[in-house]
Amino acid sequence: MTTYIIKRLLLMIPTIFGIMLVTFIVTQFVPGGPVERLLAQMQGNTGAGGGEVRMSNPTSNFYQGGKGLDEERRAKLKTLYGFDKPPLERFVVMLKNYLVFDFGTSYYHHRTVVDLVISKLPVSMSLGLWSFALVYLTCIPLGIAKAVRDGSRFDMATSTVILIGYAIPGFVLAILLIVLFGGGSFWNIFPLRGLVSDNWSELGWTARILDYLWHMVLPIISSTIGSLAVMTLLTKNSFLEEIRKQYVLTARAKGLSENQVLYHHVFRNAIIPIITGFPGSFITAFFTGSLLIETIFSLDGMGLLAYESIMNRDYPVVLGTLYFFTIIGLLSRLLSDLSYVLVDPRITFESVEGP
């Protein structure tokens, strides 16, 4: 086991290096970098119309951004952003800084990447953790009930409902919920902006908790509905497969009750493929963000940050978050593999470790 863990950790090094190298190379050829973006804004600010200040769109004015600006100013901007150095030198310096988790400062927000990510995490953590808890706490009992009642009206009815929910995109459901319950055309029940109300700091602790939960109802429903069908059917099929095995017939022949057969024998075997995905899902819930859900409900989280960083060519944020989340993703994969051994002692990595 120890050898396997060490091998997996060592394999993460070339994986991370390859991902960062490919991404860095791609950023060198993407038009409209931070220098061109600032040049476009400066060109807009100094354009015709006297002293009028105009902000240009950096993506649409990329090829006109540098007109009218002398080479000395362009060189100063490149030095400001560090683009005066060769790409190889910049890549090596970036990797050295990333080893100590120094991700630099955002070009767009003018804040360190670490501070910027920390400020966005509460939104993504709220959406991710509540959705994660709702999916597991709902789907496992529902999947077991469907497996026990396979083919019944209950099974057919619940399958129809969850498949309809799965077929509806999350952003479409979000708009529908806003129309119905957010004051769109029918009832004005739930708030639509932010995690909390503007007067949240003035409320008591009980009122704060209720206010926070009230704001999260519609976003959580919208971001969760698609995952319910997958996890529920996975649970049902896993339990059905175990229920049909020979040892279940043997347990019933010995006079054990259905609850004893289900929860003392079937449960611990059927739950393995579900529990093994738990570590990865739990860790990912902290950091994932949904651009569409965050945009629709005016939640400033990681999804919106990622989109803005890409559109604004904010390379420190793009590359820094990619590096950090790649490490998180690789570690969650390792934890998922190790959970197989913890849940089922019959599984071993000895064949992987070799003689």
Side-chain angles (χ1 to χ4, degrees), residues 21-36:
L21 177 61
V22 171
T23 307
F24 183 83
I25 293 175
V26 170
T27 60
Q28 305 307 303
F29 298 97
V30 175
V35 174
E36 289 77 12

Side-chain angles (χ1 to χ4, degrees), residues 70-276:
D70 54 76
E71 290 299 323
E72 181 180 359
R73 182 171 296 182
R74 293 173 60 91
K76 289 181 179 180
L77 291 177
K78 289 183 178 181
T79 303
L80 175 65
Y81 289 114
F83 289 98
D84 58 322
K85 301 177 182 178
L88 179 60
E89 181 180 349
R90 287 189 281 116
F91 180 71
V92 172
V93 172
M94 182 190 74
L95 289 183
K96 290 181 179 179
N97 292 333
Y98 282 8
L99 289 176
V100 294
F101 293 96
D102 179 9
F103 302 129
T105 303
S106 168
Y107 298 152
Y108 184 70
H109 298 276
H110 305 292
R111 298 170 57 186
T112 64
V113 176
V114 174
D115 291 340
L116 190 60
V117 170
I118 291 176
S119 67
K120 307 295 184 180
L121 276 181
V123 171
S124 298
M125 289 175 62
S126 295
L127 285 174
L129 290 178
W130 283 112
S131 300
F132 170 83
L134 183 61
V135 166
Y136 271 84
L137 293 177
T138 301
C139 294
I140 292 179
L142 180 59
I144 296 174
K146 286 173 63 63
V148 174
R149 299 172 177 83
D150 182 40
S152 66
R153 291 183 178 179
F154 170 81
D155 181 35
M156 298 297 294
T158 53
S159 295
T160 302
V161 172
I162 62 175
L163 288 177
I164 291 175
Y166 179 74
I168 301 176
F171 70 93
V172 174
L173 179 61
I175 296 174
L176 177 62
L177 292 175
I178 290 175
V179 172
L180 292 177
F181 305 109
S185 301
F186 295 89
W187 302 281
N188 187 9
I189 300 176
F190 296 101
L192 299 178
R193 297 181 61 85
L195 287 179
V196 294
S197 301
D198 295 335
N199 64 336
W200 186 79
S201 59
E202 303 173 1
L203 303 175
W205 282 107
T206 303
R208 289 184 182 184
I209 294 174
L210 293 176
D211 180 76
Y212 163 74
L213 295 176
W214 207 239
H215 278 76
M216 295 304 300
V217 171
L218 297 186
I220 291 173
I221 293 175
S222 303
S223 59
T224 303
I225 196 68
S227 302
L228 292 176
V230 176
M231 185 60 66
T232 300
L233 295 179
L234 174 63
T235 304
K236 175 191 173 182
N237 294 334
S238 180
F239 273 80
L240 276 179
E241 182 180 356
E242 293 296 323
I243 289 174
R244 293 166 180 169
K245 289 185 176 179
Q246 184 63 40
Y247 74 89
V248 175
L249 297 177
T250 303
R252 288 171 176 168
K254 291 181 177 180
L256 297 180
S257 65
E258 285 298 318
N259 285 336
Q260 289 177 319
V261 173
L262 182 62
Y263 294 105
H264 291 180
H265 297 277
V266 174
F267 185 85
R268 63 183 180 183
N269 293 322
I271 205 68
I272 290 176
I274 301 165
I275 294 298
T276 49

Side-chain angles (χ1 to χ4, degrees), residues 12-65:
M12 291 181 186
I13 297 176
T15 302
I16 296 173
F17 178 83
I19 292 174
M20 298 306 301
L21 177 61
V22 171
T23 307
F24 183 83
I25 293 175
V26 170
T27 60
Q28 305 307 303
F29 298 97
V30 175
V35 174
E36 289 77 12
R37 177 182 179 276
L38 187 56
L39 287 173
Q41 290 182 356
M42 294 176 65
Q43 174 66 15
N45 292 339
T46 57
E52 182 182 1
V53 176
R54 295 186 296 107
M55 296 299 292
S56 300
N57 186 333
T59 56
S60 62
N61 293 319
F62 165 60
Y63 296 105
Q64 294 82 24

